[in-house]
């Protein structure tokens, strides 16, 4: 292995307590404790996507994780936006559209609010994960100081060099370079510019590596050892992988979603706001296509749209119905393998080592 690559990997491993430079992406609703434990015990890092979690859930998740894991985990929070504007007529149109795809949508569904960020942050401090990670913005100077005082590292997701510089200046210990190939929500600091900031990982990654003084973690479209090796060659200190682990035995997503990953093509996903009001990459299902059509009502802002679609998403999961499921997926979804997560991780790293 190239000495520079080996040095970067070793520095990252020693600083953040992992054996392998492969981290689980924090996917809200798709990171069960068992999956994180399997990957942490195999040398990686587990993850909790806590955006939807109440403060007490963060402590419970970390306690359950520690009960069966010897490695580290990160807990991911969304930096909150100001409350969105409301439009009663537009929400009524969206409710009527959604009722063609799922159960009736109550008028009050659009009143959905995010969890209290300050309370979530306090719970994270109490839970003491190895890493706190953020998306959609950066922490305040006070919050960054409190993490440092607690001995918790901070990873900040960025989709542009400007965002990455802001994260570094705010005190982040590492930046996650999120390429446009990544599944799930885009991490753009300005929600309105998410679709305009669609830089691919292999253009974004070396730009950040060349301009930052802190480690860069590559994310987006990495699903096997070839992607891991390529990211490390381009200067990453580690990679963050989500979609590739969604079909693992320990993953608890619905079977229809798992099967659809294997059947997808790179062009079979799209960035859409139809589920939450925030841009995110999902499988291009019949509902997504209809909701993106010119005659469909435009999605309401986050978290209003998330509240309006909640009933449809719950019903889709209960029915194992892909058509209306919030099935996040990256462009390399077809590489997602069945089997134990630890075996998937080890095979990924063995292939990467052979190439490096």
């Amino acid at each position: 292995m190239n000495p520079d690559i080996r040095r970067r990997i070793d520095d990252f491993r020693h600083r953040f307590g992992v054996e392998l430079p492969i981290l689980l992406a924090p996917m809200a609703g798709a990171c069960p404790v068992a999956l994180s434990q399997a990957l942490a015990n195999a040398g990686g890092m587990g993850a909790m996507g806590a955006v939807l979690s109440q403060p007490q859930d963060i402590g419970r998740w970390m306690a359950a994780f520690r009960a069966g894991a010897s490695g580290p985990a990160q807990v991911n929070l969304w930096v909150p936006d100001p409350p969105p504007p409301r439009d009663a007529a537009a929400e009524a149109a969206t409710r009527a559209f959604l009722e063609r795809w799922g159960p009736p949508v109550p008028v009050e569904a659009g009143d959905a609010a995010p969890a209290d960020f300050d309370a979530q942050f306090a719970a994270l401090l109490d839970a003491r994960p190895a890493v706190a990670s953020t998306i959609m913005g950066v922490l305040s100077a006070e919050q960054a100081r409190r993490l440092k005082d607690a001995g918790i590292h901070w990873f900040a997701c960025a989709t542009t060099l400007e965002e990455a510089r802001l994260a570094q200046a705010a005190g982040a210990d590492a930046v996650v370079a999120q390429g446009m190939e990544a599944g799930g929500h885009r991490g753009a600091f300005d929600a309105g510019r998410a679709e305009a900031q669609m830089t691919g990982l292999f253009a974004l990654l070396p730009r950040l590596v060349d301009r930052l003084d802190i480690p860069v973690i590559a994310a987006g479209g990495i699903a096997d050892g070839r992607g891991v090796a390529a990211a490390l060659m381009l200067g990453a200190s580690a990679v963050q992988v989500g979609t590739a682990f969604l079909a693992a035995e320990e993953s608890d997503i619905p079977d229809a979603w798992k099967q659809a990953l294997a059947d997808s093509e790179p062009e079979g996903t799209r960035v859409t706001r139809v589920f939450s009001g925030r841009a995110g990459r999902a499988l291009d299902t019949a509902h997504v296509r209809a909701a993106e059509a010119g005659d469909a009502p435009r999605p309401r802002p986050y978290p209003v749209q998330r509240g309006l679609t909640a009933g449809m998403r719950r019903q889709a999961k209960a029915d194992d119905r892909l058509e209306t499921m919030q099935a996040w997926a990256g462009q390399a979804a077809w590489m997602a393998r069945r089997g134990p997560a630890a075996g998937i991780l080890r095979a990924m790293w063995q292939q990467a080592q052979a190439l490096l």
Side-chain angles (χ1 to χ4, degrees):
M1 187 182 293
N2 179 284
D4 287 341
I5 297 175
R6 172 58 67 189
R7 175 188 52 77
R8 271 188 274 111
I9 293 173
D10 287 346
D11 288 348
F12 188 90
R13 288 174 53 245
H14 296 149
R15 184 174 181 187
F16 300 112
V18 293
E19 296 177 26
L20 307 180
I22 302 175
L23 321 178
L24 175 63
M27 301 174 288
C31 280
V33 170
L35 178 60
S36 284
Q37 287 173 330
L39 294 173
N41 288 336
M45 181 181 288
M48 178 192 190
V51 59
L52 305 177
S53 301
Q54 294 302 314
Q56 62 270 22
D57 296 330
I58 294 173
R60 291 182 188 134
W61 190 97
M62 280 302 306
F65 171 80
R66 288 192 174 105
S70 57
Q74 63 168 304
V75 173
N76 179 264
L77 299 178
W78 281 28
V79 176
D81 291 326
R86 301 291 296 274
D87 184 326
E91 290 177 27
T94 298
R95 291 198 307 273
F97 174 82
L98 290 170
E99 287 173 3
R100 292 158 43 190
W101 295 88
V105 182
V107 173
E108 64 271 16
D111 297 337
D116 185 301
F117 181 81
D118 290 336
Q120 286 182 318
F121 187 78
L124 184 152
L125 287 171
D126 288 341
R128 291 292 199 280
V131 172
S133 61
T134 55
I135 191 168
M136 313 300 189
V138 296
L139 299 173
S140 68
E142 172 65 14
Q143 289 164 337
R145 183 194 62 76
R146 292 174 69 189
L147 286 181
K148 184 176 181 179
D149 289 347
I152 301 171
H153 298 295
W154 172 26
F155 294 170
C157 181
T159 65
T160 67
L161 175 60
E162 180 184 8
E163 291 175 353
R165 282 173 162 163
L166 289 172
Q168 178 174 269
D173 296 296
V175 162
V176 178
Q178 188 194 49
M180 56 85 72
E181 305 92 337
H185 284 100
R186 300 286 299 146
F189 290 9
D190 181 345
R193 290 192 52 77
E195 290 88 350
Q197 296 174 180
M198 297 283 283
T199 306
L201 178 63
F202 282 9
L204 178 67
L205 175 58
R207 184 64 168 164
L208 269 55
V209 167
D210 288 349
R211 294 301 185 95
L212 299 181
D213 300 319
I214 57 177
V216 179
I217 302 162
I222 300 171
D224 68 0
R226 293 174 295 178
V228 174
L232 294 173
M233 285 289 294
L234 287 173
S237 295
V239 301
Q240 186 166 276
V241 178
T243 305
F245 292 118
L246 285 179
E249 287 180 4
E250 296 86 351
S251 169
D252 61 357
I253 66 170
D255 287 340
W257 186 355
K258 287 189 177 184
Q259 184 56 49
L261 297 174
D263 296 337
S264 72
E265 297 291 345
E267 63 273 19
T269 66
R270 68 190 293 173
V271 172
T272 181
R273 294 176 181 259
V274 302
F275 293 114
S276 71
R278 268 275 193 174
R281 185 173 294 281
L283 293 172
D284 194 15
T285 61
H287 170 72
V288 170
R289 290 190 293 274
E292 291 281 5
D295 59 348
R298 295 300 85 199
R300 307 318 308 146
Y302 178 88
V304 176
Q305 184 75 8
R306 190 187 76 191
L308 295 174
T309 62
M312 179 192 73
R313 292 184 284 109
R314 280 194 300 268
Q315 191 66 53
K317 186 174 182 179
D319 296 342
D320 199 23
R321 184 187 183 205
L322 181 70
E323 188 177 50
T324 50
M325 196 176 290
Q326 181 180 271
W328 299 126
Q331 288 186 321
W334 58 275
M335 295 186 194
R337 290 174 47 194
R338 301 272 184 161
I344 297 169
L345 176 68
R346 293 189 185 106
M348 194 180 294
W349 181 236
Q350 287 169 3
Q351 185 184 28
Q353 286 181 298
L355 292 169
L356 291 168

